[in-house]
Amino acid sequence: MNMYDLIRKKKEGGILDREEIRWMIDGYTKGSIPDYQMSAMMMAVCFRGMNAEETGELTLAMRDSGDVMDLSAIRGVKVDKHSTGGVGDKTSIALLPLVSSLGVKIAKMSGRGLGHTGGTIDKLESIPGFRTSLSEQEFRRQVDEIGLALMGQTAELAPADKKLYALRDVTATVDQLSLIASSIMSKKLAAGADAIVLDVKCGSGAFMKDFEDAKALAEAMVGIGRHAGKKMRALITNMDQPLGDAVGNALEVQEAIDTLKGKGPADFTELVLALGARMLLLAELETDVKAAEERLEEAIADGRALEQLGRFIRAQGGDDACLSDDSILAPRGGCAELKASSDGIIIHMDCAEAGMASLMLGAGRSRLEDSIDPYVGIRFLKKTGDTVRAGETIALLYYSDEAKEKAAEERLASAIRIAESAAEGRKAIILDEVE
Ligand code: URA
């Protein structure tokens, strides 16, 4: 087999078979296939596409390029959840303790964030003492003991994807559906769960701006998961404005805690219940979405979910005093107000721009090596569809550096549009489902 022939085959619209894909991924991971040939292949895939079979085989080859977590010793159905990422997305921090408080086993690997705000790992690390660098043994033991553990992705997890993603990033070949779906799913499959719920974001703050693209990505990922023998469900959810009211690391953890106390923002609570219900269904603890949501609501109301969050924080070395003392995760430094420039209705809030404003305050990273400030961010008092009066506060910006605040406030102001009347109402948070 040689790479020249495979590139030519794909360039001419041919279908790569399992052996060819495995040989190519293996050679690229080991360094026997150079970047320039792989770049040509990625570009050929961008123009010619891959069918479902090829996409599935590419994913499995990338999964098998490194360690695959073996969770078989842990009893019960292990359910994972993945979000394609958005602004204010603190879902896992509320969702995982909630669902595991009802007996679902969760062994989750998460990443750090690049852009907007931090990733789940960065957010959790704003809890004093919280540790995510668990050994595999600690990780498995914790899932067995308390039903929930979360660790950072190891370098040995799908190394082919790591190398390939870095190459795609500099060769304008990231935005191809099969390549995105296989990249995400190779890491999910390597993490070893039996069932996966996907939260595919759609809108101005998401990777996929259009509904049709988000739906196609969700279908491709569900198809790959099933090809690999996993039980799958996906929701397509709205990311046209920040999720919940808080954007920033400690701020978002506080919002997740508040949600498990039954005091969360309506959109965020609805999303957590919707994803949680699907996780209960996949774990075969419920057969009906509505009944599952009711059970989740009960676990919030009777304090079980919050107790499980406390157990989770303590097991990972964190101080659970933040569950009763709001000052621990409170913003530090100054607070500025973004005020409405006129009377009217907020008709648009560019979500990616709101994320950029938060990054400019120091809550996110522009480069992987940047550090983040856990105690800065934005709290929205008004969202799309809300009526405002001139001079009324739309958002609070928490900052540590005045110059950064000025720039962030300007950026946020230009992301928000106010009109005398709204053409349409607020969009739902759940847009569609792939079962
Ligand atoms: N996230 C990933 O992990 N991979 C992609 O290709 C795109 C987003």
Side-chain angles (χ1 to χ4, degrees):
M1 225 178 275
N2 78 72
M3 191 62 180
Y4 179 93
D5 290 340
L6 297 193
I7 297 168
R8 198 171 63 177
K9 184 173 181 183
K10 185 43 77 185
K11 187 181 82 169
E12 289 169 358
I15 307 294
L16 302 177
D17 66 30
R18 182 171 191 272
E19 280 65 42
E20 290 168 333
I21 290 172
R22 290 226 158 226
W23 176 85
M24 174 176 84
I25 292 301
D26 187 52
Y28 186 58
T29 311
K30 291 184 177 143
S32 58
I33 293 172
D35 280 348
Y36 54 81
Q37 285 192 311
M38 197 49 131
S39 308
M41 174 59 84
M42 292 295 104
M43 194 54 87
V45 170
C46 283
F47 284 106
R48 291 297 194 167
M50 279 185 145
N51 67 19
E53 189 73 21
E54 288 175 295
T55 308
E57 291 304 334
L58 175 64
T59 313
L60 297 186
M62 292 202 292
R63 175 197 67 185
D64 297 339
S65 66
D67 294 346
V68 177
M69 184 75 86
D70 180 6
L71 302 175
S72 58
I74 301 165
R75 283 148 293 158
V77 183
K78 277 75 66 185
V79 185
D80 200 352
K81 166 259 170 191
H82 179 78
S83 155
T84 57
V87 179
D89 190 0
K90 73 287 292 176
T91 308
S92 291
I93 303 167
L95 175 68
L96 306 185
L98 171 60
V99 172
S100 68
S101 78
L102 293 172
V104 179
K105 293 283 170 60
I106 300 172
K108 181 155 176 63
M109 287 205 189
S110 267
R112 290 191 187 276
L114 185 61
H116 312 320
T117 53
T120 301
I121 296 258
D122 300 296
K123 290 171 194 177
L124 283 167
E125 282 177 354
S126 57
I127 298 172
F130 199 98
R131 206 165 60 83
T132 53
S133 52
L134 309 182
S135 69
E136 282 191 29
Q137 208 181 6
E138 281 178 299
F139 181 69
R140 272 191 287 258
R141 190 180 336 118
Q142 189 178 312
V143 180
D144 224 6
E145 282 172 10
I146 71 160
L148 167 61
L150 184 142
M151 68 186 269
Q153 273 167 15
T154 62
E156 293 77 41
L157 192 88
D161 171 65
K162 202 165 186 200
K163 196 168 172 193
L164 207 48
Y165 188 83
L167 183 75
R168 288 165 55 215
D169 205 23
V170 293
T171 54
T173 53
V174 167
D175 62 349
Q176 200 284 334
L177 186 88
S178 292
L179 298 180
I180 298 172
S182 59
S183 164
I184 294 173
M185 288 302 293
S186 64
K187 288 169 285 200
K188 285 283 109 187
L189 296 178
D194 307 307
I196 304 166
V197 173
L198 300 169
D199 178 7
V200 180
K201 305 285 191 193
C202 167
S204 62
F207 209 54
M208 293 298 180
K209 312 285 178 213
D210 301 320
F211 175 76
E212 293 310 327
D213 290 343
K215 180 132 188 197
L217 178 62
E219 285 169 350
M221 290 196 290
V222 165
I224 292 170
R226 296 211 172 116
H227 181 81
K230 307 289 179 190
K231 295 200 291 178
M232 303 290 302
R233 279 183 99 121
L235 291 179
I236 296 141
T237 72
N238 185 352
M239 199 22 84
D240 255 338
Q241 62 175 334
L243 179 62
D245 300 336
V247 181
N249 297 279
L251 273 177
E252 291 189 35
V253 176
Q254 185 64 55
E255 188 162 88
I257 294 170
D258 293 342
T259 302
L260 294 188
K261 290 180 178 172
K263 299 184 293 185
D267 61 343
F268 180 58
T269 304
E270 186 182 337
L271 178 66
V272 167
L273 293 175
L275 291 168
R278 274 75 188 174
M279 292 174 82
L280 288 181
L281 261 49
L282 289 185
E284 292 166 12
L285 294 178
E286 273 296 344
T287 52
D288 172 69
V289 169
K290 196 162 180 309
E293 289 199 353
E294 281 167 10
R295 265 178 80 178
L296 293 163
E297 282 174 312
E298 273 170 35
I300 293 176
D302 66 20
R304 257 178 299 165
L306 192 68
E307 253 174 53
Q308 177 68 348
L309 175 59
R311 228 172 268 128
F312 170 52
I313 292 173
R314 289 192 299 277
Q316 304 223 181
D319 181 357
D320 67 352
C322 60
L323 299 186
S324 51
D325 180 356
D326 289 0
S327 71
I328 293 173
L329 297 171
R332 298 172 194 176
C335 175
E337 292 173 71
L338 173 72
K339 296 190 169 167
S341 52
S342 58
D343 290 353
I345 297 170
I346 299 179
I347 55 162
H348 180 69
M349 201 177 258
D350 187 302
C351 189
E353 285 298 295
M356 279 310 295
S358 158
L359 185 149
M360 289 162 80
L361 290 169
R365 292 186 181 83
S366 319
R367 293 168 309 164
L368 214 51
E369 58 275 20
D370 291 347
S371 60
I372 57 164
D373 182 342
Y375 303 108
V376 297
I378 304 171
R379 178 182 306 286
F380 289 90
L381 306 184
K382 300 282 180 187
K383 306 260 301 261
T384 308
D386 286 345
T387 303
V388 288
R389 302 201 66 83
E392 197 174 359
T393 306
I394 295 177
L396 300 173
L397 290 90
Y398 299 105
Y399 63 93
S400 57
D401 176 320
E402 217 156 308
K404 286 184 185 168
E405 190 284 319
K406 289 280 169 285
E409 189 178 328
E410 229 168 79
R411 187 106 182 210
L412 186 58
S414 60
I416 295 171
R417 262 193 284 139
I418 298 173
E420 278 176 20
S421 63
E424 51 184 278
R426 196 186 303 235
K427 254 203 225 161
I429 183 83
I430 312 295
L431 302 176
D432 205 355
E433 175 158 25
V434 178
E435 288 184 47

